[in-house]
């Protein structure tokens, strides 16, 4: 089973550990209320959605899940040491090939400029990882095997067994 929040938390922790100078957190519940106030830069980690392959099993459903994650990167400059372009490079190197919990290694999809307002630069980085989504089956309460009687063909039946 692949739970979304632990995957996002794993990605967030990876970036925060590699780049402790930045504010790294999950995308806020109320994006309109988020204010970029960090003196260096910030990275917001957001679940964008998933795509699922067709299932082929008749017994249990197992599907490949492609998880798309967006990183919104904020920076106070464009070209300096902690400018947006340098931050994009550092984040890309940190996250590329990293395998979040229960997932395959991350690969990049795209990067794009979003906005610049009063010297605050915003870029978006899109990445993807894959995992397996497995149906949760309920266990049937069937009778349990309690005894096994072994006999050779020429031997008589065990006394507990009755012939038809």
């Amino acid at each position: 089973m692949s739970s979304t929040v632990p995957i996002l938390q794993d990605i967030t922790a990876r970036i925060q550990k590699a780049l402790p100078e930045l504010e790294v957190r999950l995308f806020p519940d109320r994006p309109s209320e988020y204010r970029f106030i960090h003196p260096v830069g910030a990275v917001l980690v957001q679940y964008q959605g998933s795509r699922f392959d067709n299932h082929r099993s008749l017994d249990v459903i197992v599907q490949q899940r492609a998880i798309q994650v967006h990183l919104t990167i904020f920076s106070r400059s464009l070209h300096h040491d902690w400018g947006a372009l340098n931050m994009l490079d550092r984040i890309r190197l940190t996250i590329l090939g990293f395998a979040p919990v229960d997932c395959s290694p991350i690969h990049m999809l795209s990067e794009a400029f979003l906005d610049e307002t009063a010297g605050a630069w915003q870029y978006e980085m899109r990445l993807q990882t894959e995992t397996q989504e497995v149906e949760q089956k309920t266990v049937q309460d069937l009778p349990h095997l309690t005894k096994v009687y072994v006999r050779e063909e020429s031997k008589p039946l065990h006394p507990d067994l009755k012939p038809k």
Side-chain angles (χ1 to χ4, degrees):
M1 162 135 160
S2 57
S3 296
T4 305
V5 173
I7 293 168
L8 297 177
Q9 290 171 334
D10 211 9
I11 292 169
T12 302
R14 170 73 174 207
I15 297 170
Q16 185 67 74
K17 183 177 179 185
L19 304 167
E21 302 84 358
L22 303 177
E23 172 191 16
V24 184
R25 58 185 269 194
L26 295 177
F27 206 82
D29 288 334
R30 296 186 178 114
S32 62
E33 295 177 10
Y34 176 76
R35 300 291 177 253
F36 170 47
I37 58 173
H38 195 275
V40 179
V43 179
L44 303 179
V45 180
Q46 177 187 17
Y47 171 71
Q48 190 60 32
S50 294
R51 288 187 329 273
F52 298 88
D53 288 348
N54 291 332
H55 69 91
R56 292 173 174 73
S57 174
L58 298 175
D59 181 31
V60 65
I61 296 175
V62 178
Q63 291 179 283
Q64 180 80 6
R65 176 183 179 199
I67 302 166
Q68 291 189 4
V69 176
H70 288 194
L71 306 179
T72 304
I73 293 99
F74 293 89
S75 177
R76 298 273 174 213
S77 66
L78 185 61
H79 300 290
H80 296 97
D81 287 346
W82 281 104
L85 300 179
N86 194 334
M87 283 176 58
L88 287 169
D89 290 340
R90 290 180 185 197
I91 293 166
R92 192 180 322 104
L93 290 173
T94 297
I95 208 72
L96 186 65
F98 170 66
V101 61
D102 298 327
C103 293
S104 64
I106 289 174
H107 58 276
M108 308 307 295
L109 297 177
S110 67
E111 290 177 355
F113 169 75
L114 291 178
D115 189 31
E116 182 277 328
T117 305
W121 293 83
Q122 285 185 53
Y123 278 81
E124 173 187 62
M125 185 178 285
R126 296 174 183 235
L127 46 104
Q128 182 170 304
T129 184
E130 288 82 21
T131 188
Q132 296 289 319
E133 200 66 31
V134 180
E135 169 190 8
Q136 297 294 304
K137 286 211 154 252
T138 56
V139 178
Q140 295 180 356
D141 190 21
L142 298 174
H144 298 282
L145 179 65
T146 57
K147 292 183 183 176
V148 175
Y149 299 109
V150 180
R151 89 175 170 95
E152 294 177 21
E153 197 170 322
S154 61
K155 303 284 181 177
L157 284 176
H158 189 278
D160 290 345
L161 297 177
K162 309 280 187 264
K164 286 186 180 180

